[in-house]
Amino acid sequence: MSFEEKTSETVNSLKCQNCGAILHYAPGTNSLKCEYCGTVNQIEDDTDPGAIAPVDYETFIAEEANHTVATQNAVVVKCTNCGASTTMLPNVTADSCPFCASPLVVDTGQTTAILQPHYVLPFVVKDSEALQYFKNWMKKLWFAPNDLVKKVNNGASQQLKGVYIPHWSYDTNTVTDYVGERGEYYYTTETYTVEVNGRTETRTRQVRHTRWYNASGRVGYNFRDVLVSASPSLPLKMAQILEPWSLNLLKKYDGRYLSGFRAEVYQTNAEQALAIAKRRMDPVIVDEIRADIGGDEQRIDNYQVTYNQLGVKYLLLPVWISAYRYNNKLYHFVVNACTGEVTGDRPYSWIKITLAVLAVIAIIALIYVYSQN
């Protein structure tokens, strides 16, 4: 069955078996629930957790166009303010951007090519739970304005949107050849003199030195699920704070899990994301080299990494995202819709910060006065 046929079949399956209304996926379940008659429509899940695996990277790049199709079943609209591209149901003609809250006007006749994901991580956290996670997060913020929680409660809940964020996941077995130096400490005894009560005394002390030896070798490390957000709309730092994800709950892609939610179309392609993934792997590889060199200190002159059995998965991962205003300034927060982890922008109370700085200065001054007496 072609992807076009699967997409059409999915759209048909979104209709309630009882009353024919459009269904929405119920977070934390394998079912679609009708908001009108309450009927629960099951999603037949045949995903074998042991079969969740990447596809060969080179093969994927060569054949990517074969998995990209034009579809009118999910309209893709691009925000003119922040540039994010997200899917919307064809019967929706206006909405707001989940990333910057700007108004969106949809061209209902638009046909857009999209890439079918390999896997989707369905929503687990409900919108009400996400809002509570956000409130708890705000209460723990240092130097936050006292009225922050009260002021943003209504705005945040009204703007809260469920969005699937595209990610690339990489597996690879690396082999790294390196050249460097191993430093080993040794100590010598040094004689010195000091004045004690007007008298000169001779004392000794141990002085540390480092003796360096050439080192070279090969280390290996197997990386699994190195994630890279394919959405520049969600800053890389924010995306990494939301980790780890519950990837053990991944499902084979099924459009029914997206019903009632938005899905962003990737803007960072697999080749661009691989470069980012390699940068994420690099500190781990460097640590492996240092451990292999051993000694008390290490110097790494150069190293060459080979990425074997390189595999990739295209994933959709769920977040709740909202924009809220405080003192006429827009802030954003994101909730991992599997774990409840929260990250986002926040306002600061400069009065609190100023008082804290003054308190630190006062403490330092007291310590200085005490030390002089």
Side-chain angles (χ1 to χ4, degrees):
M1 183 184 294
S2 70
F3 180 49
E4 292 93 332
E5 292 171 325
K6 287 182 180 179
T7 305
S8 177
E9 184 180 84
T10 298
V11 171
N12 292 331
S13 70
L14 294 181
K15 294 182 179 180
C16 178
Q17 300 169 357
N18 184 47
C19 70
I22 297 297
L23 300 169
H24 288 170
Y25 171 67
T29 70
N30 277 331
S31 61
L32 299 160
K33 186 174 181 180
C34 180
E35 297 179 355
Y36 295 93
C37 69
T39 300
V40 175
N41 297 255
Q42 289 297 126
I43 300 175
E44 300 76 18
D45 177 28
D46 60 351
T47 303
D48 178 4
I52 302 292
V55 297
D56 179 74
Y57 174 79
E58 297 297 339
T59 302
F60 174 79
I61 295 300
E63 299 179 353
E64 182 176 350
N66 296 335
H67 302 283
T68 302
V69 298
T71 177
Q72 290 180 316
N73 294 318
V75 177
V76 177
V77 59
K78 184 172 183 178
C79 177
T80 56
N81 183 50
C82 71
S85 295
T86 52
T87 60
M88 296 173 63
L89 291 176
N91 60 327
V92 177
T93 58
D95 203 340
S96 61
C97 176
F99 296 97
C100 69
S102 298
L104 297 175
V105 179
V106 182
D107 176 5
T108 55
Q110 179 181 7
T111 300
T112 304
I114 60 174
L115 177 69
Q116 180 184 5
H118 296 122
Y119 301 100
V120 58
L121 184 59
F123 275 74
V124 174
V125 175
K126 301 175 183 177
D127 54 354
S128 58
E129 296 170 332
L131 194 58
Q132 189 58 52
Y133 282 126
F134 169 60
K135 291 177 181 179
N136 294 339
W137 176 75
M138 282 197 299
K139 291 176 182 178
K140 297 177 183 178
L141 294 177
W142 283 58
F143 303 121
N146 291 330
D147 60 350
L148 177 62
V149 175
K150 182 179 179 180
K151 280 193 173 183
V152 305
N153 271 351
N154 292 333
S157 59
Q158 292 171 0
Q159 293 291 336
L160 194 65
K161 296 182 182 296
V163 183
Y164 282 99
I165 303 295
H167 282 69
W168 299 104
S169 171
Y170 296 91
D171 289 6
T172 184
N173 300 329
T174 61
V175 175
T176 305
D177 295 300
Y178 69 86
V179 175
E181 296 172 88
R182 180 180 69 255
E184 296 183 353
Y185 296 150
Y186 68 96
Y187 297 84
T188 59
T189 302
E190 180 181 83
T191 301
Y192 66 101
T193 59
V194 295
E195 291 288 335
V196 180
N197 297 325
R199 298 176 57 186
T200 300
E201 291 187 5
T202 300
R203 297 180 180 179
T204 60
R205 60 188 171 198
Q206 293 294 103
V207 179
R208 192 182 77 186
H209 307 275
T210 305
R211 185 176 288 114
W212 292 96
Y213 301 90
N214 291 331
S216 61
R218 171 176 291 183
V219 296
Y221 195 92
N222 298 337
F223 289 93
R224 296 294 177 266
D225 286 315
V226 179
L227 288 175
V228 176
S229 170
S231 164
S233 308
L234 184 64
L236 191 59
K237 185 177 180 180
M238 277 191 180
Q240 292 178 359
I241 292 175
L242 292 176
E243 297 179 13
W245 294 85
S246 304
L247 298 182
N248 58 304
L249 301 179
L250 283 173
K251 305 291 185 183
K252 285 194 297 186
Y253 176 75
D254 188 320
R256 288 175 290 185
Y257 288 114
L258 276 60
S259 181
F261 300 96
R262 303 275 284 275
E264 188 182 11
V265 179
Y266 78 83
Q267 298 181 58
T268 302
N269 64 34
E271 293 168 298
Q272 294 167 331
L274 177 59
I276 299 172
K278 288 179 178 180
R279 291 199 294 270
R280 295 197 70 181
M281 298 179 209
D282 194 66
V284 177
I285 294 172
V286 169
D287 285 344
E288 289 295 307
I289 294 173
R290 293 190 183 281
D292 196 60
I293 291 176
D296 300 305
E297 292 185 31
Q298 303 82 35
R299 292 174 179 167
I300 303 174
D301 297 327
N302 60 73
Y303 59 97
Q304 184 68 39
V305 184
T306 302
Y307 301 89
N308 298 316
Q309 291 87 51
L310 181 59
V312 63
K313 296 191 291 285
Y314 178 35
L315 311 177
L316 293 182
L317 305 182
V319 301
W320 289 104
I321 189 169
S322 182
Y324 65 92
R325 289 189 178 276
Y326 182 84
N327 289 346
N328 296 320
K329 185 175 180 180
L330 192 67
Y331 298 90
H332 304 83
F333 73 89
V334 186
V335 181
N336 182 320
C338 279
T339 66
E341 184 70 34
V342 182
T343 184
D345 306 320
R346 42 77 56 89
Y348 288 87
S349 169
W350 294 107
I351 294 177
K352 288 184 178 180
I353 293 174
T354 301
L355 291 174
V357 171
L358 292 175
V360 171
I361 293 174
I363 292 172
I364 294 174
L366 287 174
I367 293 173
Y368 176 77
V369 170
Y370 179 78
S371 67
Q372 297 301 306
N373 296 330

PDB file of all heavy atoms in Angstrom, residues 138-160:
ATOM      1  N   MET A 138       7.373  27.378  37.485  1.00  0.00           N
ATOM      2  CA  MET A 138       7.440  28.811  37.752  1.00  0.00           C
ATOM      3  C   MET A 138       7.683  29.096  39.236  1.00  0.00           C
ATOM      4  O   MET A 138       8.405  30.026  39.592  1.00  0.00           O
ATOM      5  CB  MET A 138       6.156  29.500  37.286  1.00  0.00           C
ATOM      6  CG  MET A 138       6.074  29.733  35.797  1.00  0.00           C
ATOM      7  SD  MET A 138       4.805  30.963  35.378  1.00  0.00           S
ATOM      8  CE  MET A 138       3.348  30.162  36.014  1.00  0.00           C
ATOM      9  N   LYS A 139       7.049  28.309  40.092  1.00  0.00           N
ATOM     10  CA  LYS A 139       7.179  28.544  41.533  1.00  0.00           C
ATOM     11  C   LYS A 139       8.615  28.345  42.019  1.00  0.00           C
ATOM     12  O   LYS A 139       9.006  28.884  43.056  1.00  0.00           O
ATOM     13  CB  LYS A 139       6.236  27.614  42.296  1.00  0.00           C
ATOM     14  CG  LYS A 139       4.765  27.940  42.105  1.00  0.00           C
ATOM     15  CD  LYS A 139       3.882  26.916  42.800  1.00  0.00           C
ATOM     16  CE  LYS A 139       2.404  27.221  42.574  1.00  0.00           C
ATOM     17  NZ  LYS A 139       1.519  26.212  43.197  1.00  0.00           N
ATOM     18  N   LYS A 140       9.396  27.560  41.278  1.00  0.00           N
ATOM     19  CA  LYS A 140      10.771  27.260  41.688  1.00  0.00           C
ATOM     20  C   LYS A 140      11.799  28.213  41.078  1.00  0.00           C
ATOM     21  O   LYS A 140      12.994  28.097  41.362  1.00  0.00           O
ATOM     22  CB  LYS A 140      11.126  25.824  41.287  1.00  0.00           C
ATOM     23  CG  LYS A 140      10.273  24.769  41.975  1.00  0.00           C
ATOM     24  CD  LYS A 140      10.620  23.366  41.477  1.00  0.00           C
ATOM     25  CE  LYS A 140       9.713  22.315  42.104  1.00  0.00           C
ATOM     26  NZ  LYS A 140      10.019  20.956  41.576  1.00  0.00           N
ATOM     27  N   LEU A 141      11.344  29.158  40.253  1.00  0.00           N
ATOM     28  CA  LEU A 141      12.277  30.051  39.573  1.00  0.00           C
ATOM     29  C   LEU A 141      12.883  31.057  40.541  1.00  0.00           C
ATOM     30  O   LEU A 141      12.162  31.705  41.314  1.00  0.00           O
ATOM     31  CB  LEU A 141      11.561  30.804  38.442  1.00  0.00           C
ATOM     32  CG  LEU A 141      11.064  29.977  37.261  1.00  0.00           C
ATOM     33  CD1 LEU A 141      10.321  30.872  36.275  1.00  0.00           C
ATOM     34  CD2 LEU A 141      12.212  29.266  36.575  1.00  0.00           C
ATOM     35  N   TRP A 142      14.198  31.189  40.495  1.00  0.00           N
ATOM     36  CA  TRP A 142      14.879  32.199  41.302  1.00  0.00           C
ATOM     37  C   TRP A 142      14.652  33.576  40.692  1.00  0.00           C
ATOM     38  O   TRP A 142      14.673  33.755  39.474  1.00  0.00           O
ATOM     39  CB  TRP A 142      16.374  31.898  41.355  1.00  0.00           C
ATOM     40  CG  TRP A 142      16.722  30.782  42.300  1.00  0.00           C
ATOM     41  CD1 TRP A 142      16.266  29.499  42.266  1.00  0.00           C
ATOM     42  CD2 TRP A 142      17.581  30.849  43.426  1.00  0.00           C
ATOM     43  NE1 TRP A 142      16.793  28.769  43.283  1.00  0.00           N
ATOM     44  CE2 TRP A 142      17.620  29.568  44.018  1.00  0.00           C
ATOM     45  CE3 TRP A 142      18.344  31.874  43.989  1.00  0.00           C
ATOM     46  CZ2 TRP A 142      18.378  29.285  45.150  1.00  0.00           C
ATOM     47  CZ3 TRP A 142      19.107  31.583  45.116  1.00  0.00           C
ATOM     48  CH2 TRP A 142      19.118  30.313  45.687  1.00  0.00           C
ATOM     49  N   PHE A 143      14.471  34.565  41.561  1.00  0.00           N
ATOM     50  CA  PHE A 143      14.349  35.973  41.162  1.00  0.00           C
ATOM     51  C   PHE A 143      13.178  36.219  40.217  1.00  0.00           C
ATOM     52  O   PHE A 143      13.227  37.117  39.376  1.00  0.00           O
ATOM     53  CB  PHE A 143      15.653  36.476  40.523  1.00  0.00           C
ATOM     54  CG  PHE A 143      16.854  36.318  41.401  1.00  0.00           C
ATOM     55  CD1 PHE A 143      17.939  35.557  40.991  1.00  0.00           C
ATOM     56  CD2 PHE A 143      16.903  36.921  42.648  1.00  0.00           C
ATOM     57  CE1 PHE A 143      19.054  35.410  41.800  1.00  0.00           C
ATOM     58  CE2 PHE A 143      18.019  36.771  43.467  1.00  0.00           C
ATOM     59  CZ  PHE A 143      19.092  36.013  43.044  1.00  0.00           C
ATOM     60  N   ALA A 144      12.127  35.393  40.329  1.00  0.00           N
ATOM     61  CA  ALA A 144      10.934  35.626  39.513  1.00  0.00           C
ATOM     62  C   ALA A 144      10.037  36.656  40.198  1.00  0.00           C
ATOM     63  O   ALA A 144       9.994  36.733  41.424  1.00  0.00           O
ATOM     64  CB  ALA A 144      10.169  34.315  39.329  1.00  0.00           C
ATOM     65  N   PRO A 145       9.304  37.466  39.428  1.00  0.00           N
ATOM     66  CA  PRO A 145       8.372  38.424  40.031  1.00  0.00           C
ATOM     67  C   PRO A 145       7.342  37.706  40.904  1.00  0.00           C
ATOM     68  O   PRO A 145       6.906  36.592  40.575  1.00  0.00           O
ATOM     69  CB  PRO A 145       7.707  39.088  38.823  1.00  0.00           C
ATOM     70  CG  PRO A 145       8.689  38.904  37.708  1.00  0.00           C
ATOM     71  CD  PRO A 145       9.346  37.581  37.959  1.00  0.00           C
ATOM     72  N   ASN A 146       6.928  38.334  41.982  1.00  0.00           N
ATOM     73  CA  ASN A 146       6.002  37.702  42.921  1.00  0.00           C
ATOM     74  C   ASN A 146       4.656  37.372  42.295  1.00  0.00           C
ATOM     75  O   ASN A 146       4.005  36.396  42.677  1.00  0.00           O
ATOM     76  CB  ASN A 146       5.787  38.606  44.146  1.00  0.00           C
ATOM     77  CG  ASN A 146       7.035  38.711  45.006  1.00  0.00           C
ATOM     78  OD1 ASN A 146       7.832  37.786  45.066  1.00  0.00           O
ATOM     79  ND2 ASN A 146       7.206  39.851  45.658  1.00  0.00           N
ATOM     80  N   ASP A 147       4.213  38.181  41.330  1.00  0.00           N
ATOM     81  CA  ASP A 147       2.888  37.983  40.742  1.00  0.00           C
ATOM     82  C   ASP A 147       2.931  37.198  39.436  1.00  0.00           C
ATOM     83  O   ASP A 147       1.945  37.164  38.693  1.00  0.00           O
ATOM     84  CB  ASP A 147       2.216  39.335  40.502  1.00  0.00           C
ATOM     85  CG  ASP A 147       3.026  40.226  39.551  1.00  0.00           C
ATOM     86  OD1 ASP A 147       4.185  39.868  39.235  1.00  0.00           O
ATOM     87  OD2 ASP A 147       2.503  41.270  39.134  1.00  0.00           O
ATOM     88  N   LEU A 148       4.048  36.545  39.145  1.00  0.00           N
ATOM     89  CA  LEU A 148       4.207  35.867  37.854  1.00  0.00           C
ATOM     90  C   LEU A 148       3.151  34.784  37.639  1.00  0.00           C
ATOM     91  O   LEU A 148       2.474  34.751  36.612  1.00  0.00           O
ATOM     92  CB  LEU A 148       5.608  35.259  37.745  1.00  0.00           C
ATOM     93  CG  LEU A 148       5.897  34.455  36.466  1.00  0.00           C
ATOM     94  CD1 LEU A 148       5.787  35.353  35.246  1.00  0.00           C
ATOM     95  CD2 LEU A 148       7.279  33.812  36.526  1.00  0.00           C
ATOM     96  N   VAL A 149       3.013  33.872  38.605  1.00  0.00           N
ATOM     97  CA  VAL A 149       2.084  32.745  38.448  1.00  0.00           C
ATOM     98  C   VAL A 149       0.662  33.246  38.248  1.00  0.00           C
ATOM     99  O   VAL A 149      -0.066  32.783  37.360  1.00  0.00           O
ATOM    100  CB  VAL A 149       2.158  31.803  39.672  1.00  0.00           C
ATOM    101  CG1 VAL A 149       1.102  30.705  39.564  1.00  0.00           C
ATOM    102  CG2 VAL A 149       3.543  31.183  39.780  1.00  0.00           C
ATOM    103  N   LYS A 150       0.266  34.222  39.057  1.00  0.00           N
ATOM    104  CA  LYS A 150      -1.094  34.738  38.989  1.00  0.00           C
ATOM    105  C   LYS A 150      -1.384  35.386  37.646  1.00  0.00           C
ATOM    106  O   LYS A 150      -2.443  35.195  37.061  1.00  0.00           O
ATOM    107  CB  LYS A 150      -1.321  35.740  40.121  1.00  0.00           C
ATOM    108  CG  LYS A 150      -2.731  36.302  40.171  1.00  0.00           C
ATOM    109  CD  LYS A 150      -2.881  37.268  41.333  1.00  0.00           C
ATOM    110  CE  LYS A 150      -4.291  37.853  41.365  1.00  0.00           C
ATOM    111  NZ  LYS A 150      -4.465  38.795  42.503  1.00  0.00           N
ATOM    112  N   LYS A 151      -0.436  36.153  37.136  1.00  0.00           N
ATOM    113  CA  LYS A 151      -0.661  36.902  35.902  1.00  0.00           C
ATOM    114  C   LYS A 151      -0.698  36.028  34.655  1.00  0.00           C
ATOM    115  O   LYS A 151      -1.389  36.361  33.683  1.00  0.00           O
ATOM    116  CB  LYS A 151       0.413  37.981  35.739  1.00  0.00           C
ATOM    117  CG  LYS A 151       0.151  39.223  36.574  1.00  0.00           C
ATOM    118  CD  LYS A 151       1.058  40.374  36.126  1.00  0.00           C
ATOM    119  CE  LYS A 151       0.682  41.672  36.824  1.00  0.00           C
ATOM    120  NZ  LYS A 151       1.501  42.811  36.355  1.00  0.00           N
ATOM    121  N   VAL A 152       0.064  34.932  34.629  1.00  0.00           N
ATOM    122  CA  VAL A 152       0.170  34.163  33.381  1.00  0.00           C
ATOM    123  C   VAL A 152      -0.758  32.959  33.343  1.00  0.00           C
ATOM    124  O   VAL A 152      -0.850  32.297  32.311  1.00  0.00           O
ATOM    125  CB  VAL A 152       1.623  33.676  33.141  1.00  0.00           C
ATOM    126  CG1 VAL A 152       2.576  34.839  33.176  1.00  0.00           C
ATOM    127  CG2 VAL A 152       2.029  32.610  34.153  1.00  0.00           C
ATOM    128  N   ASN A 153      -1.474  32.663  34.429  1.00  0.00           N
ATOM    129  CA  ASN A 153      -2.317  31.464  34.462  1.00  0.00           C
ATOM    130  C   ASN A 153      -3.277  31.397  33.282  1.00  0.00           C
ATOM    131  O   ASN A 153      -3.321  30.405  32.552  1.00  0.00           O
ATOM    132  CB  ASN A 153      -3.102  31.408  35.771  1.00  0.00           C
ATOM    133  CG  ASN A 153      -2.323  30.689  36.855  1.00  0.00           C
ATOM    134  OD1 ASN A 153      -1.286  30.096  36.594  1.00  0.00           O
ATOM    135  ND2 ASN A 153      -2.821  30.753  38.072  1.00  0.00           N
ATOM    136  N   ASN A 154      -4.054  32.440  33.081  1.00  0.00           N
ATOM    137  CA  ASN A 154      -5.062  32.406  32.020  1.00  0.00           C
ATOM    138  C   ASN A 154      -4.441  32.421  30.637  1.00  0.00           C
ATOM    139  O   ASN A 154      -4.803  31.641  29.771  1.00  0.00           O
ATOM    140  CB  ASN A 154      -6.018  33.589  32.178  1.00  0.00           C
ATOM    141  CG  ASN A 154      -6.873  33.450  33.413  1.00  0.00           C
ATOM    142  OD1 ASN A 154      -7.129  32.347  33.864  1.00  0.00           O
ATOM    143  ND2 ASN A 154      -7.309  34.580  33.965  1.00  0.00           N
ATOM    144  N   GLY A 155      -3.472  33.291  30.424  1.00  0.00           N
ATOM    145  CA  GLY A 155      -2.861  33.392  29.105  1.00  0.00           C
ATOM    146  C   GLY A 155      -2.177  32.113  28.673  1.00  0.00           C
ATOM    147  O   GLY A 155      -2.284  31.689  27.527  1.00  0.00           O
ATOM    148  N   ALA A 156      -1.465  31.476  29.594  1.00  0.00           N
ATOM    149  CA  ALA A 156      -0.733  30.248  29.253  1.00  0.00           C
ATOM    150  C   ALA A 156      -1.693  29.129  28.889  1.00  0.00           C
ATOM    151  O   ALA A 156      -1.462  28.383  27.929  1.00  0.00           O
ATOM    152  CB  ALA A 156       0.150  29.833  30.418  1.00  0.00           C
ATOM    153  N   SER A 157      -2.776  28.979  29.625  1.00  0.00           N
ATOM    154  CA  SER A 157      -3.712  27.888  29.353  1.00  0.00           C
ATOM    155  C   SER A 157      -4.433  28.091  28.029  1.00  0.00           C
ATOM    156  O   SER A 157      -4.704  27.136  27.301  1.00  0.00           O
ATOM    157  CB  SER A 157      -4.727  27.766  30.493  1.00  0.00           C
ATOM    158  OG  SER A 157      -5.459  28.975  30.646  1.00  0.00           O
ATOM    159  N   GLN A 158      -4.735  29.350  27.673  1.00  0.00           N
ATOM    160  CA  GLN A 158      -5.430  29.620  26.421  1.00  0.00           C
ATOM    161  C   GLN A 158      -4.538  29.365  25.208  1.00  0.00           C
ATOM    162  O   GLN A 158      -5.013  28.978  24.148  1.00  0.00           O
ATOM    163  CB  GLN A 158      -5.928  31.074  26.415  1.00  0.00           C
ATOM    164  CG  GLN A 158      -7.033  31.342  27.430  1.00  0.00           C
ATOM    165  CD  GLN A 158      -7.357  32.810  27.568  1.00  0.00           C
ATOM    166  OE1 GLN A 158      -6.762  33.662  26.905  1.00  0.00           O
ATOM    167  NE2 GLN A 158      -8.302  33.134  28.440  1.00  0.00           N
ATOM    168  N   GLN A 159      -3.238  29.586  25.350  1.00  0.00           N
ATOM    169  CA  GLN A 159      -2.309  29.438  24.234  1.00  0.00           C
ATOM    170  C   GLN A 159      -1.687  28.038  24.154  1.00  0.00           C
ATOM    171  O   GLN A 159      -0.953  27.744  23.228  1.00  0.00           O
ATOM    172  CB  GLN A 159      -1.183  30.471  24.356  1.00  0.00           C
ATOM    173  CG  GLN A 159      -1.628  31.912  24.190  1.00  0.00           C
ATOM    174  CD  GLN A 159      -2.060  32.242  22.775  1.00  0.00           C
ATOM    175  OE1 GLN A 159      -1.649  31.585  21.820  1.00  0.00           O
ATOM    176  NE2 GLN A 159      -2.904  33.248  22.631  1.00  0.00           N
ATOM    177  N   LEU A 160      -1.947  27.175  25.124  1.00  0.00           N
ATOM    178  CA  LEU A 160      -1.299  25.866  25.180  1.00  0.00           C
ATOM    179  C   LEU A 160      -1.673  25.014  23.971  1.00  0.00           C
ATOM    180  O   LEU A 160      -2.850  24.793  23.702  1.00  0.00           O
ATOM    181  CB  LEU A 160      -1.692  25.147  26.475  1.00  0.00           C
ATOM    182  CG  LEU A 160      -0.866  23.916  26.865  1.00  0.00           C
ATOM    183  CD1 LEU A 160       0.564  24.326  27.181  1.00  0.00           C
ATOM    184  CD2 LEU A 160      -1.491  23.221  28.063  1.00  0.00           C
TER     185      LEU A 160
END
